[in-house]
Amino acid sequence: GDTIYVPFLGEEGTLLTSEIYILGQVARPGKYTFPVMPNVLEAITQAGGGLPQASLRAVRILRGDMKKPEIIIANLEKFLETGDPKLIPQLKPGDTIYVPVLGDEGDLVTREEKTKNIINIIGEVRVPGSYPLTDPIPLLQAILMSGGPTFTAELSKIKIITNVQKVSPMKEYNVKEYDFNKYLDNADLKNNPMVYAGDTIVIPKYVFEGITLDREEPKSDIIYVLGEAVKPGTYQLKYNTNLWHILQLSGGPTSEAQIDEIKIVKGYGNTGYPKTLIVNMNDYMDKSDFTGLPKLQNGDTVILPKKSHFWRETVKFFSEIAIILGVVNLISK
């Protein structure tokens, strides 16, 4: 009396699931199970999307025998530009998706394509690599894109290697050195130049009298205070604290500080990252109650803007990118 029903492919409902593997430059690589097979873009989205250094123009789909798989190339970057659905392959059970790093697509793209919309940042930054770039940006923003400088960075000798072949056919590359500390200390815009797609930024390690110094990062929590504090700098904390505590440690705001627009830039990995909080200290000072101020976490940056155009623009820039500058004040000059 039993009845056997054989469904059509795709009509199995939740009785049949399909596994695929997503590797490379995605937020959450691993094995994924789907009741209905997605296309490659949907699968990457399920894995949290591509990381900033991901190349979506040469996504590989490996299918079949892993010893000699069939390789399908998906140019998702071109799909996002054109909307052509033919550029989005449908997946099959057992497929492996690999999202490569920008600039590491092998022979799948030409040299010109590799450098067309990326910038390379190497050396003493927290996340060196290649990053997507279409429009020119200041050096500061490029450094922040890579997570900020490390404790051993020598910011006074940053090199920018620029491809100038289009400008001067007799010379393919041009190398210039910049003292980024002069920009940080005195807002010297000449040392915060614009960088362009195809450029390479090299941040060397700090060297003292021919000896490369290895600095250890402090083991306790670190809070950065920039701008109009009496004692701006880096503060190590062994306990949870809020904005009022850190203002006391840094000597409080100067008379030029605009305390109704204090910014707290959340550090990488912290609650709220990459958001920037705006705090009006006047609200708390009027009530003499500071218990409701935001709690600070390791790596957070507090910025006290100055009542001037330059600092307003600087704070606006920090707010827009919402990435920690890093330990600038600990770097020896």
Side-chain angles (χ1 to χ4, degrees):
D2 290 345
T3 300
I4 299 174
Y5 173 70
V6 180
F8 290 100
L9 280 172
E11 292 186 344
E12 302 91 348
T14 59
L15 299 177
L16 178 64
T17 59
S18 301
E19 294 180 346
I20 63 171
Y21 301 86
I22 307 175
L23 307 175
Q25 302 302 306
V26 293
R28 298 187 297 273
K31 180 172 68 174
Y32 287 81
T33 302
F34 298 91
V36 178
M37 285 306 300
N39 61 40
V40 62
L41 183 59
E42 292 169 337
I44 291 175
T45 302
Q46 186 68 25
L51 297 175
Q53 63 269 29
S55 172
L56 296 181
R57 60 194 171 201
V59 175
R60 299 175 180 84
I61 301 172
L62 286 71
R63 179 172 296 167
D65 186 359
M66 287 296 101
K67 293 182 179 180
K68 193 177 181 181
E70 175 189 2
I71 300 178
I72 302 170
I73 305 301
N75 190 337
L76 303 186
E77 187 175 289
K78 190 172 183 180
F79 166 76
L80 295 174
E81 293 176 354
T82 64
D84 185 355
K86 296 179 182 178
L87 299 170
I88 306 296
Q90 194 70 23
L91 298 175
K92 293 184 178 181
D95 281 354
T96 296
I97 300 172
Y98 176 70
V99 181
V101 176
L102 275 168
D104 189 31
E105 301 94 345
D107 297 332
L108 300 176
V109 298
T110 65
R111 177 186 174 189
E112 289 73 19
E113 289 176 319
K114 287 182 181 180
T115 60
K116 181 180 178 181
N117 293 315
I118 66 171
I119 185 172
N120 302 299
I121 307 174
I122 60 177
E124 293 302 305
V125 290
R126 298 189 180 278
V127 190
S130 299
Y131 292 85
L133 181 67
T134 302
D135 298 322
I137 59 174
L139 174 60
L140 172 60
Q141 187 174 348
I143 293 174
L144 294 170
M145 285 172 61
S146 57
T150 68
F151 276 71
T152 56
E154 175 56 277
L155 296 182
S156 65
K157 296 180 180 179
I158 295 179
K159 291 183 175 63
I160 298 180
I161 304 172
T162 303
N163 189 331
V164 294
Q165 192 173 30
K166 293 181 179 180
V167 179
S168 175
M170 300 299 294
K171 188 176 182 181
E172 187 172 359
Y173 291 100
N174 182 40
V175 182
K176 290 186 177 180
E177 186 173 290
Y178 297 90
D179 187 345
F180 193 62
N181 281 329
K182 290 183 177 179
Y183 169 73
L184 295 171
D185 294 341
N186 306 311
D188 181 358
L189 297 179
K190 292 185 296 183
N191 285 284
N192 184 33
M194 301 298 289
V195 292
Y196 299 81
D199 285 357
T200 296
I201 300 172
V202 183
I203 301 180
K205 207 166 192 176
Y206 181 77
V207 177
F208 178 73
E209 293 184 353
I211 301 175
T212 300
L213 300 183
D214 291 319
R215 298 186 179 94
E216 292 186 3
E217 297 197 12
K219 295 181 175 58
S220 57
D221 288 348
I222 300 173
I223 307 295
Y224 313 115
V225 181
L226 304 178
E228 287 301 307
V230 174
K231 296 184 294 183
T234 304
Y235 292 87
Q236 299 180 26
L237 304 176
K238 296 182 180 179
Y239 53 87
N240 289 330
T241 188
N242 64 22
L243 179 60
W244 176 245
H245 298 137
I246 198 65
L247 290 179
Q248 289 178 310
L249 285 172
S250 60
T254 69
S255 59
E256 292 296 315
Q258 186 171 340
I259 62 173
D260 61 340
E261 291 186 4
I262 296 178
K263 303 294 191 296
I264 301 176
V265 185
K266 300 304 296 180
Y268 178 77
N270 289 346
T271 304
Y273 173 86
K275 294 181 180 178
T276 297
L277 308 179
I278 303 175
V279 179
N280 184 348
M281 277 299 298
N282 288 327
D283 294 341
Y284 297 89
M285 295 181 70
D286 291 342
K287 301 176 183 177
S288 297
D289 182 6
F290 306 105
T291 57
L293 284 168
K295 294 288 185 181
L296 298 176
Q297 297 172 281
N298 181 31
D300 286 353
T301 297
V302 176
I303 305 173
L304 284 76
K306 189 175 183 179
K307 300 174 184 177
S308 70
H309 176 74
F310 170 74
W311 269 103
R312 284 179 181 274
E313 290 302 311
T314 301
V315 171
K316 179 183 177 183
F317 175 73
F318 270 97
S319 301
E320 289 175 348
I321 56 178
I323 302 176
I324 297 304
L325 174 60
V327 187
V328 172
N329 297 287
L330 289 184
I331 297 173
S332 300
K333 300 177 184 178

